[in-house]
Amino acid sequence: MGDVAKDLTAGTIGGAAQLITGHPFDTIKVKLQSQPTPLPGQTPKFSGAIDAVKQTIAAEGPRGLYKGMGAPLATVAALNAVLFSVRGQMEALLRCHPGAPLTINQQIVAGAGAGVAVSVLACPTELIKCRLQAQSSLSGSATAAVTLKYGGPMDVAKQVLKSEGGIKGLFKGLVPTMAREIPGNAAMFGVYEALKQYLAGGSDTSGLGRGSLIVAGGLAGASFWVMVYPTDVVKSVIQVDDYKSPKFSGSIDAFRKIRSSEGFKGLYKGFAPAMARSIPANSACFLAYEMARSAM
């Protein structure tokens, strides 16, 4: 197999492992991010991550934690194949000669380039996922059975295409998606390589065991969210904003309104479940990728 084919295949396997491991955490993150700001004297719909889990299971059953997984599962092959294959091609371009190890700075550049490419695929996928995950928390009802707007991923896509400006509607939130993916992937791949070299004691990381890859992958994934979390909050509220009566005119307006009404802590809603997700999910992703890549 050629290098591109290997990266496509291993990236797909890694992405599937990441999604299955981390999706319930992601659902809670989006619910906390997108819940309406309570009026003065009122309490928020969810008091925290644990409360969001309890209410979700009570209203929708355990399946509610996996709501919206259809869209990323259907596109996980494309998303992670693009991410890892573009990163691989960027590495090839940045090497001074074939087989030469890359510096940490070069890995950061390769990660940023992969982030540009994956943003285009991630934006419509994220929009569909966020709409499905957030609809019960936006309904204003503890039980969402009567107020569900979307029947599934395809229904979201159909409704957006029909009533929100066609294809353009599926790319709502592209700017904050790129603002998340480019620096986030730059940080993640840079930290991943730096940790691998530290654990290996040098630039040759081929002999690292599974435990080292799990540690490096988990901490690299955490670095992604530390770098870009407020951008992800802005992306989520933009993508679930009502098309006919929008609260926000754009990303900057969303940032300002969140900061004005909730303070800087509003830009970190859902941070705990995001971090709780990122470590095991990215550990699984990088371990699956490395094992699949080395087996080819």
Side-chain angles (χ1 to χ4, degrees):
M1 294 177 71
D3 286 341
V4 174
K6 289 178 181 178
D7 284 330
L8 288 170
T9 304
T12 299
I13 294 169
Q18 179 187 54
L19 184 67
I20 292 167
T21 305
H23 193 79
F25 296 98
D26 190 63
T27 297
I28 299 305
K29 171 181 74 72
V30 172
K31 283 179 178 288
L32 291 171
Q33 288 177 339
S34 58
Q35 65 176 326
T37 304
L39 296 173
Q42 292 184 338
T43 57
K45 182 176 178 66
F46 305 117
S47 61
I50 301 299
D51 184 48
V53 172
K54 290 178 179 177
Q55 288 197 43
T56 299
I57 293 175
E60 306 170 57
R63 290 176 59 186
L65 295 172
Y66 284 90
K67 185 165 285 184
M69 195 171 80
L73 188 60
T75 56
V76 67
L79 283 170
N80 286 276
V82 166
L83 182 67
F84 282 98
S85 61
V86 171
R87 177 208 177 205
Q89 292 306 298
M90 289 288 293
E91 288 178 338
L93 288 172
L94 292 167
R95 284 192 177 97
C96 56
H97 57 82
L102 268 65
T103 66
I104 304 304
N105 286 339
Q106 288 174 321
Q107 288 287 352
I108 290 171
V109 173
V116 173
V118 82
S119 295
V120 179
L121 288 174
C123 185
T125 301
E126 286 279 310
L127 183 139
I128 291 169
K129 173 181 71 69
C130 287
R131 295 278 179 99
L132 289 169
Q133 290 174 324
Q135 63 180 342
S136 61
S137 62
L138 293 172
S139 68
S141 169
T143 56
V146 191
T147 54
L148 293 182
K149 182 179 179 181
Y150 304 113
M154 291 304 296
D155 187 41
V156 178
K158 287 177 182 177
Q159 290 196 42
V160 170
L161 289 170
K162 182 179 179 180
S163 60
E164 298 188 28
I167 293 293
K168 181 181 177 182
L170 290 174
F171 285 90
K172 184 179 183 180
L174 178 60
V175 171
T177 299
M178 294 185 74
R180 183 190 74 173
E181 293 296 328
I182 296 171
N185 279 295
M188 183 172 71
F189 285 111
V191 168
Y192 181 62
E193 192 61 31
L195 286 170
K196 284 205 305 178
Q197 291 186 18
Y198 174 77
L199 293 169
S203 58
D204 182 8
T205 61
S206 59
L208 285 177
R210 294 180 183 180
S212 295
L213 294 174
I214 287 171
V215 170
L219 293 177
S223 73
F224 181 107
W225 292 110
V226 169
M227 172 69 72
V228 299
Y229 195 80
T231 307
D232 185 65
V233 173
V234 170
K235 178 201 71 68
S236 292
V237 299
I238 289 288
Q239 290 186 321
V240 302
D241 199 16
D242 187 71
Y243 179 72
K244 294 180 180 178
S245 303
K247 295 179 182 178
F248 312 110
S249 61
S251 301
I252 301 299
D253 183 52
F255 178 87
R256 287 173 176 167
K257 286 181 176 175
I258 293 170
R259 188 182 63 177
S260 174
S261 63
E262 303 174 58
F264 279 104
K265 70 177 183 179
L267 294 165
Y268 286 89
K269 288 189 297 186
F271 184 70
M275 293 302 290
R277 167 193 174 274
S278 68
I279 294 175
N282 285 286
S283 292
C285 177
F286 278 105
L287 177 62
Y289 170 81
E290 296 282 9
M291 290 180 65
R293 189 72 165 76
S294 64
M296 295 175 193

